[in-house]
């Protein structure tokens, strides 16, 4: 099958962004049985990574954009323009490519994409209305009116985008229920987030009293929010009980605000981009996911659990995963409770071993690339047959 794969971010064979690594694994899997044409945005400093994925693609359409040094209103506008331009130009590729099917990743990639005669499916990594609603509900005063207007605009935009597609996949039943509660008359299904990292042979000795968070910070303000919330409100409580604790902040594009605040803390280590994220997952004792906004499946949590690294998460972080508190991971929404649960994992070896094992078994059994591949191929054939009857 000749497929145009449209990705808002560059698929990565190496790298620390969960979305990029997922796309890299998906690209490899789809290329085994299909002829893949890839259209993707790529940050200029990532151009060297394009070589890693060329062998999996019949052709690559690249849309470079400049590196974003810091997030502000101006850079936000540049990002929006980049999304719009990319989405608009994909129409031209679809019209000229004679594709059997168009597979789009991320909701924002479909903003200006037109509904075509060729079948189209969308994989929504997040329901973009959900964080907009959460920001609005958390707000107070005059700002709440502005955020309410943003929520309504986001919901209308998402509805407009999703109705263009023959099939829309979300990452969890929770997201599917939320989507349908928006009054959408669409063909919605659940496509679990597969685990694409291989921890076989990674048997590093764990560093005592170490904590880790991972994310892409330039692309996702929710990751910045999570790091600062943990460092400012939770980490001091942990240090008061375990003074030797160390907090690793791993991932691409730490912001100036992060550097300014965490740079003053000798117990916080900002690594920036690293090639071998598997080793970081395997060497730390606890992974934290203090997510305050967002949606979908937080893939970084799945990676940690597969690596046997116990996780402490907020309820929002666990929303799309569906782990059971104190069985697969620990859940806490209050800073004091969150800190206590991290301390308990660092102090209680039996608890650590139990959650390490149970978390790994849970993820291995539920999230696999085989499941994703089979569901996508079934959907591709189903949609093609359905369209042929029109």
């Amino acid at each position: 099958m000749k497929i145009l794969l449209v990705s808002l971010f560059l698929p990565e064979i190496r790298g620390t962004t969960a979305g990029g690594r997922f796309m890299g694994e998906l690209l490899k899997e789809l290329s085994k049985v299909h002829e893949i044409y890839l259209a993707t945005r790529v940050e200029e400093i990532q151009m060297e990574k394009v070589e890693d994925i060329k062998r999996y693609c019949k052709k690559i359409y690249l849309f470079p954009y400049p590196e974003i040094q810091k997030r502000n209103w101006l850079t936000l506008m540049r990002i929006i323009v980049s999304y719009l331009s990319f989405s608009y130009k994909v129409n031209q590729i679809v019209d000229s490519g004679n594709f059997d099917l168009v597979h789009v990743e991320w909701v924002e990639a479909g903003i200006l994409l037109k509904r075509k005669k060729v079948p189209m499916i969308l994989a929504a990594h997040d329901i973009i209305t959900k964080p907009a609603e959460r920001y609005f509900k958390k707000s107070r005063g005059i700002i709440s009116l502005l955020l309410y207007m943003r929520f309504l605009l986001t919901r209308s935009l998402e509805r407009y985008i999703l109705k263009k597609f023959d099939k829309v996949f979300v990452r969890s039943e929770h997201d599917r229920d939320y989507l349908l509660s928006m009054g959408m008359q669409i063909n919605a299904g659940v496509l679990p987030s597969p685990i694409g990292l291989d921890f076989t042979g990674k048997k590093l000795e764990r560093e005592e009293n170490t904590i880790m968070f991972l994310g892409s910070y330039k692309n996702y303000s929710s990751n910045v929010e999570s790091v600062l919330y943990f460092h400012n409100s939770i980490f001091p409580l942990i240090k008061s009980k375990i003074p030797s604790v160390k907090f690793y902040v791993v991932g691409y594009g730490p912001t100036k605000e992060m550097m300014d605040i965490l740079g003053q803390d000798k117990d916080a280590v900002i690594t920036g981009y690293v090639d071998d994220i598997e080793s970081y997952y395997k060497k730390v004792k606890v992974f934290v996911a203090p997510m305050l906004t967002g949606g979908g499946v937080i893939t970084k949590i799945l990676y940690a659990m597969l690596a046997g690294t116990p996780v402490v998460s907020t309820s929002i972080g666990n929303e799309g995963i569906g782990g059971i508190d104190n069985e697969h991971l620990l859940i806490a929404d209050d800073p004091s409770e969150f800190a206590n649960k991290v301390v308990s994992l660092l102090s209680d070896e039996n608890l650590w071993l139990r959650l390490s094992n149970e978390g790994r078994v849970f993820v291995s059994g539920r999230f696999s690339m085989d499941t994703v591949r089979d569901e996508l191929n079934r959907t591709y054939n189903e949609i093609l047959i359905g369209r042929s009857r029109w």
Side-chain angles (χ1 to χ4, degrees):
M1 194 178 297
K2 186 179 179 181
I3 297 175
L4 177 65
L5 181 61
V6 180
S7 178
L8 202 60
F9 302 103
L10 180 71
E12 297 179 71
I13 306 303
R14 303 168 291 125
T16 57
T17 63
R21 286 297 289 263
F22 162 73
M23 285 305 302
E25 294 301 320
L26 180 64
L27 177 61
K28 288 196 293 184
E29 195 66 31
L30 291 178
S31 68
K32 292 177 183 178
V33 291
H34 301 292
E35 190 175 276
I36 302 298
Y37 293 73
L38 173 67
T40 181
R41 292 168 64 254
V42 54
E43 196 169 12
E44 289 174 351
I45 61 173
Q46 292 183 298
M47 288 298 291
E48 63 180 27
K49 293 185 179 181
V50 174
E51 291 298 321
D52 293 341
I53 60 174
K54 279 186 175 179
R55 64 177 137 161
Y56 304 109
C57 304
K58 184 73 173 180
K59 184 175 181 179
I60 301 179
Y61 304 91
L62 291 175
F63 297 85
Y65 61 97
E67 179 184 4
I68 297 171
Q69 296 292 342
K70 60 181 180 179
R71 298 183 72 94
N72 53 40
W73 284 105
L74 179 60
T75 57
L76 177 61
M77 291 304 299
R78 285 171 54 194
I79 291 172
I80 293 173
V81 170
S82 173
Y83 287 1
L84 293 172
S85 176
F86 173 64
S87 183
Y88 177 77
K89 290 177 180 176
V90 167
N91 286 304
Q92 300 171 354
I93 298 173
V94 176
D95 290 340
S96 63
N98 193 30
F99 300 104
D100 296 313
L101 184 137
V102 177
H103 176 142
V104 179
E105 294 278 335
W106 283 281
V107 173
E108 296 91 332
I111 296 176
L112 294 183
L113 188 62
K114 297 178 181 178
R115 184 170 176 81
K116 304 288 185 177
K117 291 183 178 180
V118 59
M120 300 196 304
I121 72 166
L122 171 69
H125 289 233
D126 301 298
I127 305 301
I128 62 174
T129 301
K130 189 189 294 184
E133 182 179 17
R134 282 177 169 153
Y135 278 122
F136 151 63
K137 288 185 174 179
K138 287 184 352 182
S139 64
R140 295 292 183 271
I142 188 65
I143 191 67
S144 65
L145 177 60
L146 296 175
L147 291 178
Y148 178 64
M149 293 173 62
R150 187 180 76 165
F151 158 62
L152 294 179
L153 178 62
T154 304
R155 187 175 62 180
S156 296
L157 178 63
E158 189 154 40
R159 285 172 170 168
Y160 167 74
I161 293 171
L162 298 188
K163 68 182 182 181
K164 304 175 187 179
F165 293 89
D166 297 271
K167 179 87 174 189
V168 175
F169 281 114
V170 292
R171 297 301 186 212
S172 69
E173 288 292 346
H174 187 281
D175 275 1
R176 184 176 183 274
D177 291 343
Y178 184 91
L179 196 64
L180 296 178
S181 73
M182 293 166 54
M184 297 291 298
Q185 300 298 316
I186 59 173
N187 183 5
V190 177
L191 191 70
S193 292
I195 295 300
L197 297 187
D198 182 10
F199 293 102
T200 306
K202 294 285 184 182
K203 297 181 179 179
L204 301 178
E205 186 171 342
R206 300 277 180 177
E207 291 185 14
E208 291 300 317
N209 299 329
T210 51
I211 302 166
M212 169 184 165
F213 179 85
L214 176 141
S216 174
Y217 306 105
K218 281 189 177 180
N219 296 324
Y220 294 100
S221 59
S222 59
N223 286 330
V224 178
E225 177 188 43
S226 298
V227 166
L228 296 179
Y229 164 64
F230 179 82
H231 179 265
N232 296 339
S233 301
I234 300 172
F235 195 45
L237 302 177
I238 298 171
K239 287 204 286 185
S240 69
K241 297 180 180 179
I242 305 179
S244 62
V245 70
K246 183 181 292 184
F247 178 35
Y248 285 102
V249 181
V250 183
Y252 172 67
T255 65
K256 184 179 184 301
E257 183 182 18
M258 289 171 57
M259 299 294 289
D260 289 345
I261 295 175
L262 276 70
Q264 300 178 42
D265 186 346
K266 63 179 179 58
D267 299 314
V269 180
I270 299 180
T271 69
Y273 172 85
V274 295
D275 276 328
D276 189 10
I277 59 173
E278 291 91 335
S279 291
Y280 273 89
Y281 275 118
K282 291 292 286 186
K283 79 176 185 177
V284 299
K285 292 284 285 187
V286 175
F287 187 90
V288 293
M291 314 306 293
L292 300 176
T293 54
V297 174
I298 310 300
T299 313
K300 58 175 83 46
I301 296 177
L302 299 181
Y303 289 161
M305 294 169 76
L306 187 67
T309 305
V311 173
V312 182
S313 172
T314 57
S315 298
I316 289 176
N318 183 53
E319 201 171 67
I321 294 172
I324 299 174
D325 184 27
N326 202 37
E327 182 174 332
H328 305 125
L329 74 171
L330 298 181
I331 301 173
D333 295 312
D334 172 77
S336 179
E337 182 187 10
F338 201 111
N340 288 337
K341 290 193 173 183
V342 173
V343 169
S344 67
L345 280 170
L346 294 175
S347 306
D348 186 339
E349 188 67 13
N350 290 330
L351 175 64
W352 189 95
L353 288 171
R354 179 171 65 81
L355 286 176
S356 172
N357 181 65
E358 292 298 330
R360 182 170 53 244
V361 171
F362 172 74
V363 170
S364 299
R366 179 172 292 196
F367 301 91
S368 73
M369 182 57 79
D370 290 345
T371 301
V372 172
R373 179 200 60 218
D374 293 346
E375 179 62 19
L376 281 176
N377 283 325
R378 186 193 66 78
T379 301
Y380 292 164
N381 291 323
E382 180 183 86
I383 290 176
L384 283 175
I385 292 172
R387 277 293 191 107
S388 67
R389 294 171 178 169
W390 287 16

